[in-house]
Amino acid sequence: MLRLASILYSLIATSLAGVGVITVLVAGLISVPAIFGAAAIGALVAVPVSWLVARQIIQT
C-alpha cells in the first residue's frame, strides 16, 4: 500500500500545492514566503489524503 500511496502522493501533492498557490495569489498575497508556504502546506496535507485514497482503493 505504501507504493500506491507514494504514486498517488505525486499526483495529489502537486494538485493541492497548486490550489494553495492559486488561492494565495487570488487573495493578493504576492510574496515569495506566502507562495512557498502555501505550496508547503499543500504538500503536507497531501500526505494523509494520499494515504486515505490508497486505503480506499485497496479496500474496494
Short mmCIF file of all heavy atoms in Angstrom, two decimals:
data_model
loop_
_atom_site.label_atom_id
_atom_site.label_comp_id
_atom_site.label_asym_id
_atom_site.label_seq_id
_atom_site.Cartn_x
_atom_site.Cartn_y
_atom_site.Cartn_z
N MET A 1 0.82 -1.18 0.00
CA MET A 1 0.00 0.00 0.00
C MET A 1 0.86 1.25 0.00
O MET A 1 0.43 2.29 -0.51
CB MET A 1 -0.92 0.00 1.21
CG MET A 1 -1.85 1.19 1.21
SD MET A 1 -3.29 0.98 2.22
CE MET A 1 -2.83 1.91 3.64
N LEU A 2 2.06 1.17 0.53
CA LEU A 2 2.95 2.33 0.55
C LEU A 2 3.34 2.75 -0.85
O LEU A 2 3.43 3.95 -1.14
CB LEU A 2 4.20 2.02 1.39
CG LEU A 2 5.20 3.16 1.53
CD1 LEU A 2 4.56 4.35 2.22
CD2 LEU A 2 6.42 2.69 2.31
N ARG A 3 3.54 1.78 -1.73
CA ARG A 3 3.90 2.13 -3.10
C ARG A 3 2.76 2.84 -3.82
O ARG A 3 2.97 3.83 -4.52
CB ARG A 3 4.30 0.86 -3.85
CG ARG A 3 5.01 1.15 -5.13
CD ARG A 3 5.80 -0.02 -5.60
NE ARG A 3 4.94 -1.13 -6.01
CZ ARG A 3 5.38 -2.26 -6.51
NH1 ARG A 3 6.67 -2.44 -6.67
NH2 ARG A 3 4.55 -3.21 -6.85
N LEU A 4 1.54 2.37 -3.61
CA LEU A 4 0.38 3.03 -4.20
C LEU A 4 0.20 4.43 -3.63
O LEU A 4 -0.06 5.39 -4.37
CB LEU A 4 -0.89 2.20 -3.96
CG LEU A 4 -2.20 2.80 -4.45
CD1 LEU A 4 -2.16 3.02 -5.96
CD2 LEU A 4 -3.36 1.92 -4.06
N ALA A 5 0.38 4.57 -2.33
CA ALA A 5 0.26 5.88 -1.69
C ALA A 5 1.33 6.84 -2.20
O ALA A 5 1.08 8.04 -2.37
CB ALA A 5 0.34 5.75 -0.18
N SER A 6 2.51 6.34 -2.47
CA SER A 6 3.59 7.18 -3.00
C SER A 6 3.26 7.68 -4.40
O SER A 6 3.51 8.84 -4.73
CB SER A 6 4.90 6.43 -3.01
OG SER A 6 5.27 6.03 -1.73
N ILE A 7 2.72 6.81 -5.21
CA ILE A 7 2.34 7.21 -6.56
C ILE A 7 1.21 8.23 -6.51
O ILE A 7 1.22 9.25 -7.21
CB ILE A 7 1.93 5.98 -7.39
CG1 ILE A 7 3.15 5.09 -7.62
CG2 ILE A 7 1.30 6.39 -8.71
CD1 ILE A 7 2.83 3.74 -8.19
N LEU A 8 0.23 7.97 -5.66
CA LEU A 8 -0.87 8.92 -5.52
C LEU A 8 -0.38 10.25 -4.95
O LEU A 8 -0.89 11.31 -5.31
CB LEU A 8 -1.95 8.33 -4.62
CG LEU A 8 -2.77 7.20 -5.23
CD1 LEU A 8 -3.65 6.56 -4.17
CD2 LEU A 8 -3.59 7.70 -6.39
N TYR A 9 0.60 10.21 -4.05
CA TYR A 9 1.13 11.43 -3.46
C TYR A 9 1.71 12.35 -4.53
O TYR A 9 1.53 13.57 -4.45
CB TYR A 9 2.20 11.11 -2.41
CG TYR A 9 2.83 12.35 -1.83
CD1 TYR A 9 2.17 13.08 -0.85
CD2 TYR A 9 4.07 12.81 -2.28
CE1 TYR A 9 2.72 14.23 -0.33
CE2 TYR A 9 4.63 13.96 -1.75
CZ TYR A 9 3.96 14.67 -0.78
OH TYR A 9 4.50 15.81 -0.28
N SER A 10 2.39 11.79 -5.50
CA SER A 10 2.98 12.63 -6.54
C SER A 10 1.90 13.38 -7.33
O SER A 10 2.13 14.49 -7.80
CB SER A 10 3.84 11.79 -7.48
OG SER A 10 3.04 10.91 -8.23
N LEU A 11 0.73 12.81 -7.46
CA LEU A 11 -0.37 13.48 -8.16
C LEU A 11 -1.13 14.43 -7.24
O LEU A 11 -1.45 15.56 -7.61
CB LEU A 11 -1.33 12.44 -8.74
CG LEU A 11 -0.74 11.48 -9.76
CD1 LEU A 11 -1.73 10.37 -10.07
CD2 LEU A 11 -0.36 12.22 -11.01
N ILE A 12 -1.42 13.96 -6.03
CA ILE A 12 -2.24 14.75 -5.11
C ILE A 12 -1.47 15.95 -4.57
O ILE A 12 -2.02 17.04 -4.42
CB ILE A 12 -2.76 13.84 -3.97
CG1 ILE A 12 -3.73 12.80 -4.54
CG2 ILE A 12 -3.43 14.65 -2.88
CD1 ILE A 12 -4.13 11.73 -3.56
N ALA A 13 -0.18 15.77 -4.29
CA ALA A 13 0.61 16.88 -3.73
C ALA A 13 0.73 18.02 -4.72
O ALA A 13 0.62 19.19 -4.34
CB ALA A 13 2.00 16.37 -3.33
N THR A 14 0.96 17.72 -5.98
CA THR A 14 1.06 18.80 -6.96
C THR A 14 -0.27 19.52 -7.13
O THR A 14 -0.30 20.75 -7.28
CB THR A 14 1.55 18.27 -8.31
OG1 THR A 14 0.70 17.21 -8.73
CG2 THR A 14 2.97 17.78 -8.22
N SER A 15 -1.36 18.77 -7.06
CA SER A 15 -2.68 19.40 -7.18
C SER A 15 -2.97 20.31 -5.99
O SER A 15 -3.39 21.46 -6.16
CB SER A 15 -3.76 18.34 -7.28
OG SER A 15 -3.57 17.56 -8.42
N LEU A 16 -2.75 19.80 -4.78
CA LEU A 16 -3.04 20.60 -3.59
C LEU A 16 -2.09 21.78 -3.45
O LEU A 16 -2.50 22.87 -3.01
CB LEU A 16 -3.02 19.73 -2.34
CG LEU A 16 -4.14 18.70 -2.23
CD1 LEU A 16 -4.01 17.89 -0.95
CD2 LEU A 16 -5.49 19.37 -2.29
N ALA A 17 -0.83 21.60 -3.79
CA ALA A 17 0.11 22.71 -3.75
C ALA A 17 -0.29 23.78 -4.76
O ALA A 17 -0.23 24.98 -4.46
CB ALA A 17 1.53 22.22 -4.01
N GLY A 18 -0.71 23.36 -5.93
CA GLY A 18 -1.17 24.31 -6.94
C GLY A 18 -2.40 25.07 -6.51
O GLY A 18 -2.52 26.28 -6.72
N VAL A 19 -3.33 24.37 -5.87
CA VAL A 19 -4.54 25.03 -5.36
C VAL A 19 -4.15 26.05 -4.29
O VAL A 19 -4.69 27.16 -4.25
CB VAL A 19 -5.53 23.99 -4.80
CG1 VAL A 19 -6.63 24.65 -3.99
CG2 VAL A 19 -6.13 23.18 -5.92
N GLY A 20 -3.21 25.69 -3.43
CA GLY A 20 -2.77 26.62 -2.39
C GLY A 20 -2.12 27.86 -2.97
O GLY A 20 -2.38 28.98 -2.53
N VAL A 21 -1.27 27.68 -3.96
CA VAL A 21 -0.59 28.82 -4.59
C VAL A 21 -1.60 29.71 -5.29
O VAL A 21 -1.53 30.95 -5.17
CB VAL A 21 0.50 28.32 -5.56
CG1 VAL A 21 1.03 29.46 -6.41
CG2 VAL A 21 1.63 27.67 -4.78
N ILE A 22 -2.53 29.13 -6.00
CA ILE A 22 -3.54 29.93 -6.69
C ILE A 22 -4.40 30.70 -5.69
O ILE A 22 -4.72 31.87 -5.89
CB ILE A 22 -4.40 29.05 -7.61
CG1 ILE A 22 -3.56 28.58 -8.79
CG2 ILE A 22 -5.64 29.78 -8.10
CD1 ILE A 22 -4.21 27.54 -9.66
N THR A 23 -4.74 30.05 -4.58
CA THR A 23 -5.53 30.72 -3.54
C THR A 23 -4.78 31.91 -2.97
O THR A 23 -5.36 32.98 -2.76
CB THR A 23 -5.87 29.73 -2.42
OG1 THR A 23 -6.56 28.61 -2.98
CG2 THR A 23 -6.72 30.36 -1.35
N VAL A 24 -3.49 31.75 -2.70
CA VAL A 24 -2.68 32.84 -2.16
C VAL A 24 -2.60 33.98 -3.16
O VAL A 24 -2.71 35.16 -2.80
CB VAL A 24 -1.28 32.32 -1.76
CG1 VAL A 24 -0.32 33.46 -1.53
CG2 VAL A 24 -1.37 31.48 -0.51
N LEU A 25 -2.39 33.66 -4.41
CA LEU A 25 -2.28 34.71 -5.43
C LEU A 25 -3.59 35.45 -5.63
O LEU A 25 -3.61 36.67 -5.81
CB LEU A 25 -1.78 34.11 -6.74
CG LEU A 25 -0.34 33.61 -6.74
CD1 LEU A 25 -0.02 32.93 -8.06
CD2 LEU A 25 0.63 34.73 -6.46
N VAL A 26 -4.70 34.72 -5.62
CA VAL A 26 -6.01 35.36 -5.77
C VAL A 26 -6.31 36.25 -4.57
O VAL A 26 -6.94 37.31 -4.71
CB VAL A 26 -7.11 34.29 -5.97
CG1 VAL A 26 -8.50 34.88 -5.84
CG2 VAL A 26 -6.96 33.64 -7.32
N ALA A 27 -5.84 35.85 -3.39
CA ALA A 27 -6.06 36.66 -2.19
C ALA A 27 -5.21 37.92 -2.17
O ALA A 27 -5.40 38.78 -1.32
CB ALA A 27 -5.78 35.81 -0.94
N GLY A 28 -4.26 38.02 -3.09
CA GLY A 28 -3.45 39.22 -3.18
C GLY A 28 -2.16 39.17 -2.40
O GLY A 28 -1.49 40.19 -2.26
N LEU A 29 -1.82 38.03 -1.87
CA LEU A 29 -0.57 37.88 -1.11
C LEU A 29 0.55 37.50 -2.07
O LEU A 29 0.94 36.35 -2.17
CB LEU A 29 -0.73 36.82 -0.02
CG LEU A 29 -1.83 37.10 1.00
CD1 LEU A 29 -2.04 35.89 1.88
CD2 LEU A 29 -1.48 38.32 1.82
N ILE A 30 1.07 38.49 -2.75
CA ILE A 30 2.08 38.23 -3.78
C ILE A 30 3.46 38.42 -3.16
O ILE A 30 4.09 39.47 -3.30
CB ILE A 30 1.88 39.15 -4.99
CG1 ILE A 30 0.46 38.97 -5.52
CG2 ILE A 30 2.89 38.84 -6.08
CD1 ILE A 30 0.09 39.93 -6.61
N SER A 31 3.89 37.42 -2.42
CA SER A 31 5.24 37.42 -1.85
C SER A 31 5.78 36.00 -1.88
O SER A 31 5.02 35.03 -1.86
CB SER A 31 5.22 37.95 -0.41
OG SER A 31 4.54 37.06 0.44
N VAL A 32 7.08 35.90 -1.94
CA VAL A 32 7.71 34.58 -2.04
C VAL A 32 7.42 33.71 -0.82
O VAL A 32 7.08 32.53 -0.97
CB VAL A 32 9.23 34.74 -2.29
CG1 VAL A 32 9.92 33.40 -2.27
CG2 VAL A 32 9.47 35.43 -3.62
N PRO A 33 7.52 34.23 0.43
CA PRO A 33 7.20 33.36 1.57
C PRO A 33 5.76 32.86 1.57
O PRO A 33 5.51 31.71 1.96
CB PRO A 33 7.47 34.25 2.78
CG PRO A 33 8.41 35.29 2.31
CD PRO A 33 8.07 35.52 0.87
N ALA A 34 4.83 33.69 1.14
CA ALA A 34 3.43 33.25 1.12
C ALA A 34 3.22 32.14 0.09
O ALA A 34 2.51 31.16 0.35
CB ALA A 34 2.52 34.43 0.82
N ILE A 35 3.86 32.29 -1.07
CA ILE A 35 3.71 31.29 -2.12
C ILE A 35 4.36 29.98 -1.70
O ILE A 35 3.78 28.90 -1.85
CB ILE A 35 4.28 31.82 -3.44
CG1 ILE A 35 3.44 32.98 -3.95
CG2 ILE A 35 4.36 30.72 -4.49
CD1 ILE A 35 4.03 33.72 -5.11
N PHE A 36 5.58 30.05 -1.16
CA PHE A 36 6.25 28.83 -0.70
C PHE A 36 5.50 28.18 0.46
O PHE A 36 5.42 26.96 0.57
CB PHE A 36 7.69 29.12 -0.28
CG PHE A 36 8.64 29.27 -1.45
CD1 PHE A 36 9.81 29.97 -1.29
CD2 PHE A 36 8.36 28.73 -2.68
CE1 PHE A 36 10.69 30.12 -2.35
CE2 PHE A 36 9.22 28.87 -3.75
CZ PHE A 36 10.40 29.57 -3.58
N GLY A 37 4.96 29.00 1.34
CA GLY A 37 4.20 28.46 2.47
C GLY A 37 2.95 27.73 2.02
O GLY A 37 2.63 26.65 2.53
N ALA A 38 2.26 28.31 1.05
CA ALA A 38 1.06 27.64 0.54
C ALA A 38 1.40 26.34 -0.16
O ALA A 38 0.70 25.34 0.00
CB ALA A 38 0.34 28.58 -0.43
N ALA A 39 2.50 26.33 -0.90
CA ALA A 39 2.92 25.09 -1.57
C ALA A 39 3.33 24.03 -0.54
O ALA A 39 3.00 22.85 -0.71
CB ALA A 39 4.07 25.38 -2.52
N ALA A 40 4.02 24.45 0.51
CA ALA A 40 4.43 23.50 1.55
C ALA A 40 3.24 22.94 2.31
O ALA A 40 3.19 21.74 2.60
CB ALA A 40 5.40 24.18 2.52
N ILE A 41 2.27 23.78 2.61
CA ILE A 41 1.07 23.30 3.31
C ILE A 41 0.31 22.32 2.43
O ILE A 41 -0.18 21.29 2.90
CB ILE A 41 0.19 24.49 3.73
CG1 ILE A 41 0.87 25.25 4.87
CG2 ILE A 41 -1.20 24.04 4.15
CD1 ILE A 41 0.21 26.56 5.24
N GLY A 42 0.22 22.61 1.14
CA GLY A 42 -0.44 21.68 0.23
C GLY A 42 0.26 20.34 0.16
O GLY A 42 -0.38 19.29 0.12
N ALA A 43 1.60 20.38 0.18
CA ALA A 43 2.36 19.12 0.14
C ALA A 43 2.18 18.34 1.44
O ALA A 43 2.11 17.10 1.43
CB ALA A 43 3.84 19.41 -0.10
N LEU A 44 2.10 19.03 2.56
CA LEU A 44 1.91 18.34 3.84
C LEU A 44 0.49 17.77 3.97
O LEU A 44 0.32 16.68 4.51
CB LEU A 44 2.18 19.30 5.01
CG LEU A 44 3.64 19.65 5.23
CD1 LEU A 44 3.77 20.69 6.35
CD2 LEU A 44 4.45 18.40 5.59
N VAL A 45 -0.48 18.49 3.50
CA VAL A 45 -1.86 18.00 3.55
C VAL A 45 -2.04 16.78 2.64
O VAL A 45 -2.86 15.91 2.91
CB VAL A 45 -2.84 19.13 3.18
CG1 VAL A 45 -4.25 18.61 2.97
CG2 VAL A 45 -2.83 20.21 4.25
N ALA A 46 -1.24 16.71 1.60
CA ALA A 46 -1.36 15.60 0.65
C ALA A 46 -0.92 14.26 1.24
O ALA A 46 -1.33 13.22 0.72
CB ALA A 46 -0.54 15.90 -0.60
N VAL A 47 -0.11 14.28 2.29
CA VAL A 47 0.35 13.01 2.87
C VAL A 47 -0.82 12.18 3.41
O VAL A 47 -1.01 11.03 2.99
CB VAL A 47 1.43 13.25 3.95
CG1 VAL A 47 1.79 11.97 4.67
CG2 VAL A 47 2.66 13.89 3.33
N PRO A 48 -1.64 12.71 4.33
CA PRO A 48 -2.75 11.87 4.80
C PRO A 48 -3.82 11.65 3.73
O PRO A 48 -4.47 10.59 3.72
CB PRO A 48 -3.31 12.64 5.99
CG PRO A 48 -2.86 14.04 5.83
CD PRO A 48 -1.57 13.97 5.07
N VAL A 49 -4.00 12.61 2.84
CA VAL A 49 -5.00 12.44 1.79
C VAL A 49 -4.62 11.28 0.87
O VAL A 49 -5.46 10.45 0.53
CB VAL A 49 -5.17 13.75 0.99
CG1 VAL A 49 -6.05 13.52 -0.23
CG2 VAL A 49 -5.76 14.84 1.87
N SER A 50 -3.36 11.22 0.47
CA SER A 50 -2.93 10.12 -0.40
C SER A 50 -3.01 8.78 0.31
O SER A 50 -3.35 7.77 -0.30
CB SER A 50 -1.53 10.37 -0.93
OG SER A 50 -0.60 10.42 0.12
N TRP A 51 -2.73 8.76 1.60
CA TRP A 51 -2.84 7.52 2.37
C TRP A 51 -4.30 7.06 2.43
O TRP A 51 -4.60 5.87 2.26
CB TRP A 51 -2.27 7.71 3.77
CG TRP A 51 -2.22 6.44 4.55
CD1 TRP A 51 -3.13 5.99 5.45
CD2 TRP A 51 -1.22 5.42 4.47
NE1 TRP A 51 -2.74 4.77 5.94
CE2 TRP A 51 -1.58 4.41 5.35
CE3 TRP A 51 -0.05 5.31 3.72
CZ2 TRP A 51 -0.80 3.27 5.51
CZ3 TRP A 51 0.71 4.17 3.89
CH2 TRP A 51 0.34 3.17 4.77
N LEU A 52 -5.22 8.00 2.67
CA LEU A 52 -6.64 7.65 2.72
C LEU A 52 -7.17 7.18 1.38
O LEU A 52 -7.94 6.23 1.30
CB LEU A 52 -7.46 8.84 3.22
CG LEU A 52 -7.23 9.24 4.68
CD1 LEU A 52 -7.96 10.54 5.00
CD2 LEU A 52 -7.70 8.14 5.60
N VAL A 53 -6.74 7.84 0.30
CA VAL A 53 -7.18 7.42 -1.04
C VAL A 53 -6.63 6.03 -1.36
O VAL A 53 -7.36 5.17 -1.89
CB VAL A 53 -6.75 8.46 -2.09
CG1 VAL A 53 -6.99 7.94 -3.50
CG2 VAL A 53 -7.47 9.77 -1.88
N ALA A 54 -5.39 5.78 -1.03
CA ALA A 54 -4.80 4.45 -1.28
C ALA A 54 -5.55 3.38 -0.49
O ALA A 54 -5.80 2.29 -1.00
CB ALA A 54 -3.33 4.46 -0.92
N ARG A 55 -5.89 3.70 0.75
CA ARG A 55 -6.61 2.73 1.57
C ARG A 55 -7.99 2.44 0.99
O ARG A 55 -8.44 1.28 0.97
CB ARG A 55 -6.74 3.25 3.01
CG ARG A 55 -7.27 2.20 3.96
CD ARG A 55 -7.21 2.63 5.38
NE ARG A 55 -8.16 3.75 5.56
CZ ARG A 55 -8.34 4.37 6.70
NH1 ARG A 55 -7.64 4.05 7.75
NH2 ARG A 55 -9.20 5.36 6.79
N GLN A 56 -8.66 3.47 0.47
CA GLN A 56 -9.97 3.26 -0.15
C GLN A 56 -9.85 2.42 -1.43
O GLN A 56 -10.70 1.59 -1.71
CB GLN A 56 -10.62 4.60 -0.46
CG GLN A 56 -11.11 5.34 0.75
CD GLN A 56 -12.22 4.60 1.45
OE1 GLN A 56 -13.09 3.99 0.82
NE2 GLN A 56 -12.22 4.62 2.77
N ILE A 57 -8.79 2.64 -2.18
CA ILE A 57 -8.59 1.85 -3.41
C ILE A 57 -8.33 0.39 -3.06
O ILE A 57 -8.85 -0.52 -3.71
CB ILE A 57 -7.46 2.45 -4.25
CG1 ILE A 57 -7.90 3.79 -4.84
CG2 ILE A 57 -7.05 1.49 -5.36
CD1 ILE A 57 -6.78 4.55 -5.54
N ILE A 58 -7.52 0.14 -2.05
CA ILE A 58 -7.18 -1.23 -1.65
C ILE A 58 -8.43 -1.95 -1.13
O ILE A 58 -8.63 -3.14 -1.41
CB ILE A 58 -6.07 -1.23 -0.58
CG1 ILE A 58 -4.78 -0.67 -1.15
CG2 ILE A 58 -5.87 -2.61 0.02
CD1 ILE A 58 -4.10 -1.57 -2.14
N GLN A 59 -9.28 -1.25 -0.38
CA GLN A 59 -10.44 -1.88 0.23
C GLN A 59 -11.53 -2.24 -0.79
O GLN A 59 -12.32 -3.13 -0.56
CB GLN A 59 -11.04 -0.99 1.31
CG GLN A 59 -10.20 -0.93 2.55
CD GLN A 59 -10.79 -0.01 3.60
OE1 GLN A 59 -11.79 0.65 3.36
NE2 GLN A 59 -10.17 0.03 4.76
N THR A 60 -11.56 -1.52 -1.90
CA THR A 60 -12.64 -1.78 -2.87
C THR A 60 -12.19 -2.68 -3.98
O THR A 60 -11.12 -3.04 -4.18
CB THR A 60 -13.18 -0.49 -3.48
OG1 THR A 60 -12.12 0.22 -4.10
CG2 THR A 60 -13.83 0.36 -2.44
#
